[in-house]
Amino acid sequence: MQIPFTPLVLGLLAVVAQALLAAGLLAAAPTNRASNRFLALLMLSIALWLLDGFFRVGTIYSQNPDWYFAPIYYSFAFGPLLYFYVRSLVNHDFRFQSRHLWHFGPVLAQAALYWWLRGQDYEYRNWFWQHVHRPYTYRLEFIGTWISLLLYLGLCLRRLRVYRRWLADNFSETSQLRLQWLRVLLVLVGVVGLQWLGELVMREFLGLYYQYDYSTELLGVVLFLVGVVGLRQADMQAVSFEPEPETEQPTLTAGPRIAPGVSNPDTPLTTVDAAALACIRQALEQERLYLNPTLTLTELAQHTGLAPRLVSSTIRHGLGQSFNEVVNQYRVEEVKRRLAGPDVHRLTLLGIAFESGFNSKTTFNRIFKQYTGVAPRDFPAQPGAVANQGE
């Protein structure tokens, strides 16, 4: 068997090999175990789809037709695996349960078909291709995969949108938890979906069966990026996000150590409790909890003796900002205060930022400019102190 090693053939082979290696590393990774296993399975299912493309462009099918209908098609798993990867990544407490199995019903039927066909002789498989698969089941498979992927993609994007709002209300340091790379990746998956739509139109309405087929190359790019960034994802152990049902009408509940003078915890969320607001201000302004670079809403609630939802709603409605915005504003004010004092002579600008509660140079630069309108290096300091503002 001779394989023409064209750039496309070599590229597909390299991506499949990288996917297998990355999937193995993800499955064995000690952090984000549940989400990494979903991602490893997603990479394997996409790699098998690309393997079909490799067999096609590498002329393996034409040289040995018996390879066709090998059980390597699990495309109905793309959407569910992506969805459960996102769910488990943003919720460390997520556990896959039997009630979730229905999501994988289509891919089990798909796998059963190909495994059954693999057990048939070549003459039957050729007949099946000519009279059943090409005119009927291939269309169902292709269109079904496209619809499934877009539906689950929408669910993923919606969950990420709500997650990012929740993140701002619960964490003061979010640079490793924002999952911006995942949002970009989902957009790329959407681009693949658009390409598939173009293929569908050209095949069904223009009679161009395998012409202008670039979805294999696009999926290869997505798979390569998944292997690179998936392994670099920070530990999400501290995150336990699960969106509340939209029909729920939440009420405030007080913790066991409610501060003196705080009113009934059943107060509606839009009511600002003055005593609770005073407790929060004291913890931030006098006790300076914002100096803790990883301060969370739960830690602030435990320190004040208030229920986390009471703290969250008080900050949101009493201060008009998210928890993240409030804490970082205090940190920026701390940096500005230190730049105007003696600390500017003994510390670098980055040193002042770290002592003010920031734990990342990138985050500090972004947040400082967001609140002051200028980069930290350009912020006016005491005369003669500019030389000490190196990073």
Side-chain angles (χ1 to χ4, degrees):
M1 181 177 293
Q2 296 182 345
I3 300 176
F5 286 104
T6 63
L8 179 57
V9 170
L10 291 174
L12 287 174
L13 188 59
V15 169
V16 170
Q18 181 254 9
L20 295 177
L21 175 61
L25 294 175
L26 284 167
T31 58
N32 305 328
R33 297 187 66 180
S35 59
N36 279 342
R37 288 172 181 175
F38 281 119
L39 188 59
L41 289 173
L42 176 61
M43 294 187 69
L44 287 175
S45 62
I46 297 177
L48 289 173
W49 175 285
L50 295 182
L51 191 61
D52 170 67
F54 170 76
F55 285 167
R56 180 159 45 86
V57 299
T59 69
I60 293 177
Y61 284 141
S62 60
Q63 295 181 65
N64 187 356
D66 190 55
W67 276 95
Y68 200 72
F69 281 132
I72 61 177
Y73 307 93
Y74 303 95
S75 58
F76 280 119
F78 294 175
L81 287 173
L82 182 62
Y83 173 66
F84 283 106
Y85 171 68
V86 173
R87 282 193 64 172
S88 56
L89 185 63
V90 300
N91 184 2
H92 186 263
D93 298 326
F94 174 81
R95 296 294 180 270
F96 188 82
Q97 301 175 7
S98 57
R99 61 188 176 88
H100 298 132
L101 287 174
W102 70 268
H103 291 271
F104 295 93
V107 72
L108 292 177
Q110 183 184 30
L113 171 65
Y114 284 109
W115 279 100
W116 174 74
L117 285 170
R118 190 59 186 167
Q120 309 303 312
D121 57 37
Y122 173 73
E123 287 73 17
Y124 181 83
R125 279 182 281 154
N126 185 50
W127 174 88
F128 188 87
W129 161 255
Q130 296 293 339
H131 298 90
V132 180
H133 192 60
R134 180 165 181 167
Y136 303 112
T137 56
Y138 178 80
R139 286 178 166 84
L140 290 176
E141 183 180 45
F142 189 92
I143 297 173
T145 296
W146 178 71
I147 294 174
S148 169
L149 185 60
L150 289 187
L151 286 176
Y152 282 105
L153 179 63
L155 291 174
C156 291
L157 288 171
R158 184 175 67 178
R159 185 167 291 255
L160 276 182
R161 184 174 64 251
V162 180
Y163 164 74
R164 295 186 72 175
R165 291 201 300 265
W166 174 88
L167 193 66
D169 285 331
N170 288 269
F171 289 84
S172 65
E173 169 53 45
T174 63
S175 59
Q176 298 297 315
L177 308 176
R178 296 172 64 207
L179 303 179
Q180 184 65 29
W181 70 269
L182 183 56
R183 187 176 182 85
V184 173
L185 185 64
L186 293 177
V187 171
L188 288 178
V189 173
V191 172
V192 175
L194 291 176
Q195 166 64 25
W196 278 352
L197 177 60
E199 288 182 37
L200 180 66
V201 171
M202 286 187 287
R203 184 175 62 250
E204 300 299 329
F205 298 101
L206 302 178
L208 302 176
Y209 193 71
Y210 261 130
Q211 299 182 46
Y212 309 103
D213 173 14
Y214 301 113
S215 60
T216 298
E217 291 86 338
L218 289 173
L219 267 181
V221 173
V222 170
L223 187 59
F224 177 79
L225 293 176
V226 168
V228 172
V229 298
L231 289 168
R232 301 178 60 188
Q233 173 57 47
D235 189 356
M236 301 284 286
Q237 184 174 358
V239 179
S240 296
F241 165 71
E242 190 67 29
E244 297 180 356
E246 294 182 1
T247 57
E248 182 180 348
Q249 295 296 327
T251 56
L252 301 180
T253 56
R257 297 188 294 113
I258 191 72
V262 175
S263 62
N264 191 326
D266 290 331
T267 306
L269 284 174
T270 53
T271 300
V272 177
D273 193 313
L277 184 58
C279 283
I280 295 169
R281 286 189 183 278
Q282 178 179 334
L284 293 174
E285 295 176 1
Q286 299 179 26
E287 299 168 35
R288 302 166 73 195
L289 263 65
Y290 61 85
L291 295 181
N292 175 4
T294 59
L295 180 67
T296 65
L297 181 81
T298 300
E299 291 171 337
L300 177 59
Q302 291 174 345
H303 182 86
T304 58
L306 303 173
R309 295 185 67 191
L310 176 60
V311 174
S312 178
S313 64
T314 302
I315 290 176
R316 174 65 70 177
H317 298 292
L319 301 178
Q321 294 177 298
S322 67
F323 170 76
N324 176 270
E325 291 170 333
V326 168
V327 174
N328 279 320
Q329 188 168 20
Y330 276 106
R331 289 171 178 166
V332 170
E333 292 301 319
E334 179 74 8
V335 171
K336 291 163 62 178
R337 183 185 66 79
R338 292 194 174 201
L339 286 176
D343 285 343
V344 76
H345 298 288
R346 66 179 184 87
L347 294 171
T348 64
L349 180 56
L350 192 58
I352 291 176
F354 285 167
E355 289 199 357
S356 300
F358 292 100
N359 68 350
S360 163
K361 176 182 176 181
T362 302
T363 301
F364 165 58
N365 289 335
R366 175 175 58 84
I367 295 297
F368 191 90
K369 187 171 184 179
Q370 175 184 333
Y371 282 94
T372 64
V374 296
R377 281 184 175 274
D378 300 326
F379 190 78
Q382 287 295 311
V386 177
N388 290 321
Q389 292 190 34
E391 298 181 32

